[in-house]
Amino acid sequence: MIDFELSPEIKNNRDMVHMVAEQYMRPLSHQFDENEHEKPWDFLNMMWEASRNSPVSIGGDGKKKKADQEPSAAPQRGLLAAVAIEELSWGDAGLYLSIPNPGLGGAAVAAAGTPEQRQRFLDRFKSGKPKWGAMAYTEPHCGSDTAAIQTTARRDGDSYVLNGTKIFVTSGLMAAEKSEGFVVVWATVDKSAGRAGIKAFVVENNTPGMTVVKCENKMGIRASDTAMIVFEDCRIPSDNILGSPVVQETTEGFKGAMATFDATRPAVAASAIGIGRAALDFTREALEKEGVKVRYGIARARLTAIERDFMEMEANLQAARLLTWRASWMMDQGMRNNLEASMAKAKAGLAVTQVTQKAVEILGPLGYSRQLLLEKWMRDAKINDIFEGTQQINLMVVARRILGYSSKELN
Amino acid sequence: MVSFQPSEEQQLIRDTIASFAHEQIRPHARDADENGAVPAAIVQQGWELGLVQSSIPEAHGGHGDTRSAVTGALIAEELAWGDLAVAMHLLTPRLAVWPVLMLGSAEQQTSVLGAYTGNSFRTGTAAVMEPRFDFDATEPATTAHRSNGGYVLDGTKCYVPLADQADRIVVTARTDGGGVGAFIVDRDTPGLTIGEREQHMGIKALATYTLTLESCRVPAAHRLGGDDANVLALANHWRVGLAAMAVGVARAAFEYARDYARERHAFGMAIARKQAIAFMLAEMAIEIDAARLLAWEAAWRIDRGLDATREAYLAKNYAANVALKVTDNAVQILGGHGYIREHPVEMWLRNGRGFVTFEGLVML
């Protein structure tokens, strides 16, 4: 039965998260945007206390819990997370990204780790001090082309020894050095094997040989640290490898790692939509203050330019939201959502880029001023069209799926 | 509880309509466009699917099924995928029946509905649009003045489907109070003139007409729902219907261009393997799904009894843009072949261009 009514559980959670976003995040937005690299510790501690059992974190052990429950209970954890992430990002996307949680590294452990590994790496998020998980795959010379990864993992007795440089690691500083967290590092065990040689390794915080050499200065999402991490003869236990250590002829293992994105892309899309909604709400309120009301239902020929722009923004955002809900819903149903996750991400990334840019245009001097948050939202929004696969990478995924092409046939 | 899965019953209906569109409509779409007529056999087969009769209460001879805008959106998309003009032809009786079901009094329902429950296609229609660039369904220029216990209608209407064979026409007009009223006008009413058949860029198989109303007197009892009727609620139904049809047309064009691009080789490989083409197709697929979900959500709000003015309006405008963009891209992907009438994509582009203009041509 086609239905757009959120369950009471999701609505309650949304309302609670919205309260947090409005009362605790918005007041910090300006400060932690202007003062990049400062950490809002009070907020982070509060979120850690509040969210340890919250389904908002995209990592964690969602799959395990799902299997334990009655199928009829149909938990909509993915959708619940998408709705909550939208609210948090409506509050502040940079602060949302900096919230202590298992993050993308945790998502990789949850997706590809053994039960023992899940326990060893993820249980820590249930207690103690705030912790972060991070994922390191991008390198200075390669991003989405993960087959070109040059960081090496050499087997040496009961250890792997990692060497290489990783960049753009979200929460990398917090995960690697400032908490009892970990970094999931993608490295090759056999360069000649291409994709099949790429494996993921969990590196515990403060492991000798792992050094955060800098945090990037960014256009937006400045409250979130984006680290460059160098691995120099970084020795880790051999059982920190996620998945099989064997280099297979096929790239099944690699595909497994890529499947992480099917869960994280809707999350990014949801975050994007939160930023877009912040900009849209703000624009609507600013216009209404000046007596400009958007009229729905009248002839298009009679609409003002601002009404047309505004409605286009609104429809694009809602379309992105529904695509995101669908991708999340499919995940909750246990359906493969590779196509739909990329559709949502591609649409949402572009939609909020356009929505926030148009909002800045519509509000003119108010939009461009750093006194207000609109220009910040435009800067924050843009990352969603880039990380977790750029617009173009996601279009590539969509194109391959609708055409039935492999990555060899369409690249 | 959020779900994107049609119910089993909806899926069954959707599958039935899809195979009808695939097997009966699509093979005749080009000829219908060239000849400017929908084959009688298809009209009758469509009628037998119960697209109209199913929602008429049993008391009036129908099947008494609950009307659902969501189900209607599923049907409209599939029919339009087959062919837009044929889809509109088959659904034209709804233009008279739905307003009576939604707004009509018991007497009006009794006097109107029974006519559309027989064994063969029979139709009424609706006259909503007017020949002005700034036509606005919320402020028609056609007027309905109170006079001697009835109404006198004056104005010009256009894009009235099947007006030549409709036995009654639901006409929207501005009332003395400034609101919009809907009036049942029998075809033989003095002052009502059905003009020549209109010629359009697309939907050429659908016969549409311009009507003139000159001191056209209708009894007070023919005003649908009386003075307080919310005629503009009809707009939500037609807008979602048009949105769903726009999705159907766009999907047809997308699928054709996708398959063509996989077959057509240039520079040693299928053109679909070139990013310039593959990315166009990817964007088309995303936008079609986006438009469909907006239409579904608006339809769902209608079924829930929630205000759907904004959602239906945005869905219709969004889907109209998607239909144009996608059908244009389809022609572009086929290149020169897309421009040739041997392939259907140029027809879909002509049809798709209409959605931004259309109002009131379908009811969900």
Side-chain angles (χ1 to χ4, degrees):
Chain A
M1 181 80 170
I2 293 165
D3 192 357
F4 294 89
E5 182 82 31
L6 295 169
S7 71
E9 186 201 356
I10 294 178
K11 275 188 189 167
N12 289 340
N13 189 62
R14 177 193 63 190
D15 295 347
M16 192 184 71
V17 174
H18 183 79
M19 191 272 290
V20 170
E22 190 165 28
Q23 295 189 3
Y24 297 98
M25 298 175 85
R26 279 287 175 91
L28 303 178
S29 267
H30 195 64
Q31 180 188 348
F32 291 96
D33 178 56
E34 295 281 332
N35 306 321
E36 195 168 15
H37 308 306
E38 274 185 24
K39 284 290 169 186
W41 278 107
D42 289 348
F43 168 74
L44 299 179
N45 286 323
M46 183 194 79
M47 292 307 285
W48 173 253
E49 289 306 319
S51 71
R52 255 172 302 162
N53 290 315
S54 158
V56 168
S57 71
I58 34 179
D61 50 355
K63 279 191 177 162
K64 202 173 71 194
K65 277 184 185 162
K66 195 174 165 184
D68 291 345
Q69 288 180 358
E70 292 285 316
S72 60
Q76 296 194 318
R77 292 177 59 84
L79 185 61
L80 186 141
V83 170
I85 290 167
E86 177 181 333
E87 295 307 319
L88 290 169
S89 302
W90 178 91
D92 188 284
L95 292 172
Y96 150 66
L97 284 169
S98 68
I99 292 171
N101 72 26
L104 295 179
V109 173
T114 62
E116 183 276 325
Q117 287 174 325
R118 287 207 290 265
Q119 192 181 21
R120 183 149 53 100
F121 297 118
L122 298 179
D123 274 6
R124 68 187 68 188
F125 291 94
K126 292 176 184 162
S127 60
K129 291 182 182 170
K131 298 176 188 71
W132 285 261
M135 178 109 100
Y137 49 90
T138 303
E139 298 185 356
H141 72 286
C142 79
S144 297
D145 181 12
T146 41
I149 280 173
Q150 293 198 346
T151 295
T152 55
R154 179 173 52 81
R155 183 74 188 246
D156 182 24
D158 286 343
S159 310
Y160 279 102
V161 179
L162 304 182
N163 277 285
T165 301
K166 292 291 181 180
I167 60 170
F168 300 168
V169 184
T170 298
S171 295
L173 177 67
M174 308 308 277
E177 293 185 355
K178 303 289 183 192
S179 75
E180 293 166 4
F182 58 81
V183 181
V184 171
V185 181
W186 292 26
T188 176
V189 294
D190 179 359
K191 276 189 185 173
S192 67
R195 281 208 171 106
I198 307 287
K199 302 286 177 184
F201 301 87
V202 187
V203 183
E204 286 282 6
N205 65 90
N206 293 301
T207 300
M210 173 171 70
T211 315
V212 174
V213 296
K214 73 165 171 175
C215 286
E216 306 288 350
N217 298 319
K218 303 191 296 297
M219 176 185 186
I221 54 164
R222 291 180 182 165
S224 163
D225 72 77
T226 303
M228 175 188 247
I229 306 180
V230 170
F231 297 87
E232 210 168 6
D233 293 330
C234 179
R235 185 174 290 273
I236 59 169
S238 58
D239 59 0
N240 279 21
I241 189 170
L242 295 177
S244 163
V246 181
V247 176
Q248 311 265 346
E249 292 280 312
T250 69
T251 56
E252 282 309 312
F254 182 78
K255 280 179 186 160
M258 295 302 284
T260 312
F261 291 120
D262 297 346
T264 57
R265 281 179 176 151
V268 171
S271 176
I273 293 157
I275 304 169
R277 198 183 98 214
L280 196 74
D281 286 354
F282 184 86
T283 305
R284 188 200 304 272
E285 283 161 24
L287 290 173
E288 280 179 358
K289 257 188 227 163
E290 300 299 324
V292 180
K293 210 165 157 27
V294 178
R295 297 165 296 170
Y296 301 95
I298 69 167
R300 283 185 64 78
R302 298 176 61 203
L303 294 173
T304 63
I306 282 184
E307 283 176 314
R308 276 184 179 234
D309 283 347
F310 190 88
M311 287 180 190
E312 193 180 325
M313 292 157 71
E314 199 175 12
N316 267 314
L317 200 63
Q318 182 63 7
R321 180 182 288 117
L322 294 178
L323 287 169
T324 304
W325 284 14
R326 180 179 67 168
S328 305
W329 170 82
M330 289 179 74
M331 192 165 69
D332 293 336
Q333 301 293 115
M335 298 159 81
R336 182 158 188 229
N337 72 343
N338 178 254
L339 168 66
E340 292 79 6
S342 280
M343 281 182 154
K345 165 68 170 70
K347 177 68 184 175
L350 187 59
V352 299
T353 295
Q354 293 170 339
V355 162
T356 53
Q357 290 176 4
K358 184 55 85 172
V360 167
E361 179 194 321
I362 289 176
L363 292 187
L366 302 179
Y368 204 69
S369 165
R370 258 164 56 199
Q371 304 265 323
L372 300 171
L373 289 170
L374 196 53
E375 61 82 28
K376 173 190 182 298
W377 291 327
M378 183 190 123
R379 289 185 285 107
D380 288 350
K382 186 61 207 173
I383 192 60
N384 295 287
D385 215 15
I386 298 171
F387 68 5
E388 295 291 287
T390 58
Q391 172 71 207
Q392 289 66 31
I393 287 294
N394 280 286
L395 286 181
M396 188 72 88
V397 173
V398 171
R400 282 178 193 149
R401 297 278 296 161
I402 60 174
L403 288 160
Y405 283 152
S406 66
S407 52
K408 278 205 182 73
E409 290 167 307
L410 177 60
N411 54 55
Chain B
M1 187 99 147
V2 170
S3 170
F4 294 85
Q5 184 77 49
S7 69
E8 277 182 35
E9 191 194 346
Q10 285 171 332
Q11 191 57 48
L12 190 68
I13 294 171
R14 187 195 214 180
D15 292 344
T16 305
I17 302 297
S19 65
F20 175 68
H22 181 76
E23 289 156 23
Q24 307 300 329
I25 301 180
R26 180 65 73 81
H28 300 286
R30 172 56 81 182
D31 282 350
D33 184 74
E34 296 284 337
N35 300 334
V38 180
I42 294 179
V43 175
Q44 185 56 25
Q45 286 167 340
W47 180 259
E48 285 162 11
L49 288 170
L51 299 168
V52 178
Q53 314 90 303
S54 58
S55 292
I56 294 176
E58 287 175 7
H60 301 297
H63 307 166
D65 295 349
T66 310
R67 266 181 303 118
S68 158
V70 171
T71 309
L74 297 173
I75 292 170
E77 178 182 335
E78 296 306 325
L79 287 176
W81 178 90
D83 183 72
L84 182 61
V86 173
M88 286 178 162
H89 187 120
L90 296 180
L91 295 176
T92 292
R94 288 185 174 193
L95 294 177
V97 170
W98 260 236
V100 172
L101 282 171
M102 287 170 61
L103 307 173
S105 65
E107 291 80 16
Q108 287 166 339
Q109 297 201 358
T110 303
S111 73
V112 171
L113 298 177
Y116 308 107
T117 58
N119 293 326
S120 46
F121 184 86
R122 186 166 167 191
T123 197
T125 189
V128 173
M129 293 173 65
E130 295 172 352
R132 297 185 285 129
F133 86 91
D134 60 345
F135 160 69
D136 191 335
T138 66
E139 290 184 16
T142 299
T143 54
H145 292 300
R146 264 266 190 215
S147 163
N148 290 335
Y151 291 92
V152 176
L153 273 57
D154 284 284
T156 307
K157 292 286 183 179
C158 60
Y159 288 76
V160 185
L162 311 188
D164 61 325
Q165 51 174 299
D167 32 28
R168 49 178 72 77
I169 302 162
V170 173
V171 178
T172 59
R174 187 150 40 150
T175 58
D176 295 336
V180 182
F183 302 84
I184 303 169
V185 181
D186 293 333
R187 205 162 66 96
D188 53 8
T189 306
L192 171 69
T193 310
I194 297 171
E196 291 291 299
R197 180 171 166 177
E198 296 166 348
Q199 303 293 329
H200 303 302
M201 176 191 202
I203 53 167
K204 286 162 68 177
L206 179 72
T208 69
Y209 298 84
T210 301
L211 306 187
T212 50
L213 301 129
E214 278 178 309
S215 304
C216 187
R217 179 171 292 278
V218 298
H222 282 207
R223 179 169 182 180
L224 278 179
D227 292 349
D228 301 325
N230 179 16
V231 171
L232 292 177
L234 297 174
N236 295 339
H237 288 251
W238 79 56
R239 284 177 183 148
V240 178
L242 288 166
M245 287 182 149
V247 172
V249 172
R251 201 184 93 215
F254 160 72
E255 289 172 0
Y256 197 91
R258 177 198 61 195
D259 294 346
Y260 180 90
R262 269 198 295 229
E263 296 296 318
R264 171 80 179 186
H265 280 62
F267 307 104
M269 64 173 78
I271 61 169
R273 291 180 58 191
K274 302 285 187 188
Q275 288 187 4
I277 304 296
F279 280 17
M280 277 169 92
L281 288 165
E283 283 169 354
M284 290 154 78
I286 292 169
E287 290 303 317
I288 288 167
D289 281 9
R292 179 186 301 113
L293 294 179
L294 289 174
W296 282 6
E297 190 198 21
W300 171 82
R301 290 184 71 87
I302 289 173
D303 286 345
R304 278 290 180 99
L306 302 167
D307 180 23
T309 309
R310 181 177 68 146
E311 288 77 9
Y313 184 69
L314 293 182
K316 190 247 173 184
N317 287 337
Y318 194 94
N321 286 336
V322 168
L324 178 60
K325 181 86 162 75
V326 168
T327 54
D328 182 64
N329 277 354
V331 170
Q332 192 67 27
I333 287 171
L334 269 74
H337 296 277
Y339 203 71
I340 303 292
R341 299 222 296 277
E342 196 176 320
H343 292 281
V345 288
E346 64 80 30
M347 177 175 76
W348 291 328
L349 171 55
R350 288 185 284 106
N351 289 345
R353 173 72 282 190
F355 284 104
V356 74
T357 301
F358 298 154
E359 294 273 21
L361 287 178
V362 62
M363 284 284 175
L364 288 193

